[in-house]
Amino acid sequence: MPPPRIIFYLSAGGVAVGSIVLFKELLGGSNYSGPEMLEGKTVIVTGSNTGIGRETALELARRKARVIMACRNLTKCKLARKEIIAETLNRNVVCRECDLSSFESIRQFAARICAKESTVDILINNAGVMRCPRTLSKDGIELQLATNHLGHFLLTMLLLDKITASENGRIVNVSSIAHMRGSINFDDLNSEKNYDPSSAYDQSKLANVMFTLRLAKELQGTGVTCSAVHPGLVNTEIGRHMSVYKSWLSLLFLRPFLWLFLKTPRQGAQTTLYAVLSPDATKSGAYYSDQREATPAASALDEAAQERLWQTSLKWTRLQT
Ligand SMILES: *[C@@H]1O[C@H](CO)[C@@H](O)[C@H](O)[C@H]1NC(C)=O
Ligand SMILES: *[C@@H]1O[C@H](CO)[C@@H](O)[C@H](O)[C@H]1NC(C)=O
Ligand SMILES: *[C@@H]1O[C@H](CO)[C@@H](O)[C@H](O)[C@H]1NC(C)=O
């Protein structure tokens, strides 16, 4: 008796699903596979309760670092921490409250770190918001500029002494290829005259790359490396404000398609891991994409604009009056 047709359909279906999964895995790129272990090193990852940040924290915990999860919501942070400890058996993972959109919260966080930690070896500026409706931070600054750029600027500056105290500290900024489209609107940095969620996002990501380059100059001779990475297009909560995610049409057609091409958070964490861990990633001021050095947008290389943004940021964060 020939096997029933259903068996045929089932196995054909199985092969199709298998191929799709394999295809997605291939598109997502390889895992960072260096052997580095981080015993005795202290790492801070901002926004690490979810998405790329969580995957990064998880992998660094697996490599035995002391991981400080800097998150806005401690309830969510503690949940993620529990999972990370359960998965890695590294109990040296802690939660510290830090809201990157609030200068006060950042100052409190940094003061605690400076008082309690002997060094900070790795700082990963990962937290971010994307294309949200115009909102002002507590300090009256447009939220994407506040969180993605100024908040991390202030955090990095406040922790700089701790990081330079480390033998070969690294600072990594999770930027985005979106910076290529960005321009810094010095006349309306805070988007008061005109707000477009997309341009404000691109602007904040360009600011990340410009700062990496400017910071690299500042850090010359300290042994600290700083770099910016493009994680790839990743399927995470950061897209929650994007309108394509909301309509039923997109739910039906666009999302399955996007799912195939967007990276998972684990895949999205690989270039950050490369920048943090790899012995090949010690060039300060580098920009990485797909675990390789890439060329940032020409606008990021404009040194006069870098300087102007640096000075403006010092003023806005009240590091300098
Ligand atoms: C990367 O690692 C994950 C689990 O840690 C595994 O499921 C996945 O297949 C790996 N990807 C590649 C491309 O090797
Ligand atoms: C933090 O997250 C929890 C759990 O998702 C939520 O119930 C709570 O409202 C959040 N707290 C704040 C301050 O956002
Ligand atoms: C990361 O970005 C922030 C905000 O743009 C900036 O202040 C900081 O210097 C950058 N750090 C690195 C390592 O690029």
Side-chain angles (χ1 to χ4, degrees), residues 123 125 148-154 156-157 171-174 204 207-209 211-213 215 219 225-228 309-310:
L123 169 63
N125 288 325
N148 302 355
H149 170 58
L150 287 171
H152 284 115
F153 173 80
L154 180 60
T156 306
M157 299 302 270
I171 310 173
V172 172
N173 259 340
V174 181
S204 72
N208 287 154
V209 180
F211 261 94
T212 302
L213 301 180
L215 187 66
L219 290 174
T225 314
C226 64
S227 56
L309 188 62
W310 182 270

Side-chain angles (χ1 to χ4, degrees), residues 1 4 27 65 77 90 107 110 120 139 141 174 192 205 214 239 243 255 258 270 278 291 299:
M1 203 176 75
L27 277 182
C77 189
N90 176 354
R107 285 182 180 280
V120 173
D139 308 286
I141 297 166
V174 181
E192 263 148 27
K205 290 288 138 181
R214 180 59 179 74
S243 55
R255 274 197 173 191
L258 280 179
Q270 302 309 314
S278 171
Q291 301 184 51
S299 46

